């Protein structure tokens, strides 16, 4: 004889509770994706600005070097 007992079927309240948990989790995941997207966009903007500033600095330094220290 097996020791395994069949599991009782979930009651409507348990199903509703799990559905609510799933919906809350889904909403949280959606919110996380939204904020991650916002932060990634901000990171792109800052990376672009930093790259532009470094290119300007490199151009200024190269011009100073070529002109013998005058710019």
């Amino acid at each position: 004889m097996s020791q395994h007992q069949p599991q009782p079927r979930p009651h409507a309240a348990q199903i509703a509770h799990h559905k609510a948990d799933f919906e809350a989790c889904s909403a949280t995941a959606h919110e996380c994706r939204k904020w991650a997207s916002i932060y990634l966009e901000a990171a792109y903007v800052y990376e672009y600005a930093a790259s532009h500033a470094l290119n300007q600095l490199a151009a200024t330094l190269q011009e100073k070097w070529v002109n013998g220290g005058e710019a």
Side-chain angles (χ1 to χ4, degrees), residues 7-8 17 19 27:
Q7 295 295 318
H17 176 74
K19 184 179 178 193

Side-chain angles (χ1 to χ4, degrees), residues 1-7:
M1 199 151 124
S2 173
Q3 295 288 341
H4 181 70
Q5 297 291 325
Q7 295 295 318

